[in-house]
């Protein structure tokens, strides 16, 4: 398989694409691939595609739909991430006005000496930035907060500041989920230069999108899709849900949320983010809150209950032999229960003959294989979809190096007919 096709199940190529590249989100797929799927769908059916992405993340699917002039609806339960997608969806605003607003913030930040400094080496911000870097970023933040009004252009200014935070840190804050304060990096950007550079890039992307005839047809909502979805009927669903692999989406934006004062630390994620996203990591699936035998009684899990029970019971045993005693048994049960609800909710807003694609990977917590695509396919059929098939894109975990288990894994597209 050629490298580009394998990468279409990742975010890598989006970092070269206008608008998509404004914020690097660790889990996504290629916008060019989404555009080609929209085109294929329309050629095959003769219908205009109306698109749904129930896990919109940083907005790859719905922004690809802007480029092709298709109406699209996107949801994300993570408040910080939904705000990023909504901000990217403001690409159609006036780029000169945006640059002027950035310039004002910069001038104010440069001259603002009277801001209180909050560098504290005992917290995550203090570990990620030296005094000068955090002071500059804070000046940008305070200037933004002082100057911003109701004009949506300011959301783009805020996104600019958010998007440079990791590049201005001298420690390991790259695209991975957790910040690594003990890992230093060689290339660190100056906050003011990064802000001005990003302002230029964003403005030229806004100009590009207009010249390429993008249409502003995306509707983005901050909503947990385990709750009912209210949108016009759609016929094409392209998404990538969390995988059952312990990736912690709440923790993924801890640095940014602390910077903006939305949380004081890790424990605040419990109330600020976790309640509205599905359970896909052990930190979100404490065994004292989720009782395995109770969740396995849920009728929505009936289609996969035998295999799910066998795997979760094994995990319940294996964890007792491990130092971390991670609650993968409740995590896996809750994960499939949450997705079973989401299948039901998407089914009710998808047309009879719709096409659905879930970019998904399997997992093997504590070495117990969880065939996510198979179980998700079976849950989809039980919620009223017609058929499913899996197209493998790439193998994972085949090199065994530094791995906690040796189960070969894969990632690909789960195609469902609706
Ligand atoms: C794999 S990412 C999607 C990335 C996306 N394709 C992009 O372009 O950035 C999965 C997303 O699902 C969101 N999510 C998790 N549980 C959710 C829920 N119950 N309702 C809505 N969104 C949810 C997470 O916050 C995360 O942003």
């Amino acid at each position: 398989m050629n490298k580009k096709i394998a990468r279409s199940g990742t975010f890598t190529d989006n970092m070269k694409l206008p608008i998509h590249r404004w914020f690097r989100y660790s889990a996504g797929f290629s916008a060019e691939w989404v555009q080609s799927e929209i085109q294929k769908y329309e050629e095959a059916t003769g219908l205009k595609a109306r698109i749904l992405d129930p896990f919109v993340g940083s907005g790859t699917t719905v922004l690809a739909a802007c480029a092709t002039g298709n109406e699209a609806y996107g949801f994300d339960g993570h408040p910080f991430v939904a705000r990023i997608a909504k901000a990217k969806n403001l690409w159609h605003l006036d780029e000169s006005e945006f640059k002027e607003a950035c310039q004002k913030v910069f001038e104010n930040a440069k001259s603002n000496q009277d801001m209180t400094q909050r560098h504290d080496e005992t917290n995550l911000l203090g570990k990620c930035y030296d005094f000068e870097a955090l002071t500059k970023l804070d000046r940008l933040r305070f200037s933004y907060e002082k100057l911003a009004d109701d004009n949506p252009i300011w959301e783009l200014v805020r996104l600019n500041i958010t998007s440079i935070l990791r590049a201005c840190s001298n420690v390991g804050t790259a695209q991975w989920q957790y910040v690594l304060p003990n890992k230093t990096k060689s290339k660190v950007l100056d906050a003011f230069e990064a802000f001005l550079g990003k302002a230029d890039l964003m403005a030229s992307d806004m100009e590009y999108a207009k010249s390429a005839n993008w249409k502003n047809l995306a509707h983005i909502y901050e909503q947990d899709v385990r709750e009912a979805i209210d949108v016009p009927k759609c016929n094409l669903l392209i998404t990538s849900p969390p995988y059952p692999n312990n990736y912690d989406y709440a923790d993924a934006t801890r640095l940014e949320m602390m910077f903006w004062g939305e949380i004081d630390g890790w424990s605040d994620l419990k109330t600020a983010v976790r309640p509205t996203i599905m359970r896909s990591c052990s930190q979100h699936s404490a065994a004292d809150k989720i009782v395995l035998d109770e969740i396995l009684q849920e009728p929505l899990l009936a289609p996969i209950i035998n295999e799910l029970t066998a795997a979760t019971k094994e995990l319940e045993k294996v964890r007792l032999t491990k130092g971390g005693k991670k609650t993968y048994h409740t995590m896996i049960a809750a994960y499939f229960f949450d997705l079973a609800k989401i299948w039901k909710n998407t089914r009710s807003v998808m047309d009879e003959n719709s096409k659905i694609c879930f970019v998904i990977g399997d997992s093997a917590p504590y070495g117990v294989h969880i065939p996510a695509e198979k179980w998700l396919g079976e849950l989809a059929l039980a919620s009223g979809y017609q058929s499913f098939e899996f197209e493998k894109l790439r193998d994972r975990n085949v090199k065994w190096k530094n791995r906690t288990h040796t189960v070969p894994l894969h990632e690909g597209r789960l195609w469902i007919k609706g």
Side-chain angles (χ1 to χ4, degrees):
M1 178 172 297
N2 87 27
K3 282 198 180 135
K4 184 153 171 126
I5 296 177
R7 277 203 317 267
S8 69
T10 74
F11 200 73
T12 315
D13 286 346
N14 290 344
M15 289 316 287
K16 293 191 217 97
L17 298 177
I19 319 290
H20 296 281
R21 61 180 163 183
W22 288 359
F23 183 82
R24 182 168 192 132
Y25 198 44
S26 52
F29 40 71
S30 134
E32 283 172 334
W33 167 72
V34 176
Q35 281 179 227
S36 73
E37 284 305 326
I38 295 172
Q39 202 185 351
K40 253 196 237 165
Y41 175 82
E42 295 192 335
E43 279 166 14
T45 61
L47 299 170
K48 184 87 182 155
R50 188 190 275 150
I51 297 144
L52 175 67
D53 184 350
F55 302 101
V56 77
S58 60
T60 308
T61 294
V62 296
L63 290 163
C66 291
T68 51
N70 289 79
E71 194 179 334
Y73 295 84
F75 293 85
D76 208 289
H78 189 318
F80 195 85
V81 175
R83 190 166 179 180
I84 287 169
K86 285 184 191 177
K88 285 168 81 180
N89 198 30
L90 297 172
W91 56 266
H92 53 90
L93 298 182
D94 186 273
E95 56 272 15
S96 315
E97 210 186 320
F98 165 66
K99 275 192 80 171
E100 249 169 62
C102 288
Q103 192 60 34
K104 276 192 205 150
V105 165
F106 169 64
E107 298 295 342
N108 194 276
K110 237 182 9 178
S111 58
N112 185 353
Q113 307 293 336
D114 54 20
M115 172 205 89
T116 49
Q117 70 84 16
R118 56 171 177 159
H119 192 263
D120 170 356
E121 273 172 20
T122 63
N123 75 25
L124 184 68
L125 288 173
K127 287 183 181 137
C128 289
Y129 300 102
D130 61 25
F131 180 82
E132 192 201 334
L134 187 60
T135 303
K136 280 189 167 176
L137 288 166
D138 268 345
R139 284 200 185 148
L140 289 170
R141 177 171 84 102
F142 288 129
S143 303
Y144 156 79
E145 282 167 352
K146 186 170 128 191
L147 296 167
D149 58 24
D150 292 345
N151 186 335
I153 212 85
W154 290 102
E155 270 305 292
L156 286 173
V157 178
R158 189 180 189 276
L159 175 62
N160 179 348
I161 301 172
T162 301
S163 76
I164 62 170
L165 289 178
R166 291 187 183 230
C168 295
S169 165
N170 56 345
V171 303
T173 52
Q175 69 270 33
W176 45 75
Q177 126 181 245
Y178 306 109
V179 166
L180 304 173
N182 298 327
K183 195 174 153 78
T184 52
K185 64 175 187 262
S186 53
K187 195 170 163 230
V188 183
L189 301 187
D190 169 79
F192 289 169
E193 281 172 24
F195 177 74
L196 292 175
K198 195 64 176 265
D200 282 344
L201 178 118
M202 288 172 72
S204 76
D205 284 1
M206 290 161 83
E207 211 181 327
Y208 164 83
K210 285 165 210 155
S211 71
N213 213 16
W214 282 37
K215 302 263 183 319
N216 179 31
L217 293 171
H219 306 265
I220 299 173
Y221 306 98
E222 178 195 326
Q223 195 205 300
D224 176 352
V225 289
R226 290 172 299 178
E227 307 293 332
I229 302 172
D230 184 14
V231 291
K233 284 264 175 179
C234 297
N235 48 22
L236 181 62
L237 187 158
I238 298 181
T239 200
S240 179
Y243 295 3
N245 63 0
N246 211 28
Y247 185 95
D248 188 349
Y249 281 95
D251 202 14
T253 56
R254 175 157 47 122
L255 176 67
E256 288 82 359
M257 292 179 80
M258 277 185 76
F259 175 80
W260 287 108
E262 295 177 352
I263 56 168
D264 286 330
W266 191 83
S267 58
D268 288 348
L269 296 171
K270 197 167 157 190
T271 45
V273 184
R274 299 206 196 282
T276 48
I277 59 175
M278 58 174 281
R279 294 160 293 180
S280 58
C281 63
S282 62
Q283 294 86 332
H284 193 172
S285 318
D288 58 336
K289 300 272 162 39
I290 306 170
V291 179
L292 182 60
D293 287 331
E294 270 173 28
I295 205 162
L296 292 175
Q297 302 290 321
E298 292 291 347
L300 280 178
L301 290 173
I304 57 168
I305 197 62
N306 292 339
E307 286 172 272
L308 180 66
T309 302
T312 51
K313 290 285 170 185
E314 193 181 342
L315 284 169
E316 193 176 31
K317 264 194 254 141
V318 175
R319 74 186 281 260
L320 301 176
T321 67
K322 305 280 181 181
K325 296 199 174 24
K326 293 206 170 140
T327 53
Y328 293 138
H329 60 310
T330 46
M331 172 188 105
I332 294 296
Y335 175 88
F336 286 97
F337 179 46
D338 286 353
L339 273 164
K341 284 192 205 157
I342 293 167
W343 275 132
K344 253 184 80 186
N345 290 339
T346 61
R347 175 64 280 186
S348 68
V349 295
M350 295 305 292
D351 266 342
E352 283 310 305
N353 289 311
S354 49
K355 186 173 179 183
I356 287 97
C357 183
F358 264 46
V359 174
I360 185 75
D362 55 359
S363 68
Y366 285 153
V368 177
H369 186 229
I370 306 297
E373 75 280 0
K374 178 168 176 283
W375 293 357
L376 288 183
E378 281 160 12
L379 291 173
L381 296 192
S383 70
Y385 289 106
Q386 287 160 22
S387 62
F388 71 88
E389 61 181 306
F390 184 65
E391 174 199 0
K392 186 173 95 172
L393 283 179
R394 61 190 182 106
D395 291 310
R396 288 156 57 224
N397 204 46
V398 279
K399 289 189 187 142
W400 314 141
K401 217 172 127 202
N402 297 328
R403 297 288 163 173
T404 50
H405 64 79
T406 53
V407 181
L409 299 175
H410 53 238
E411 194 169 15
R413 300 177 185 134
L414 174 64
W415 292 101
I416 291 169
K417 283 198 188 133

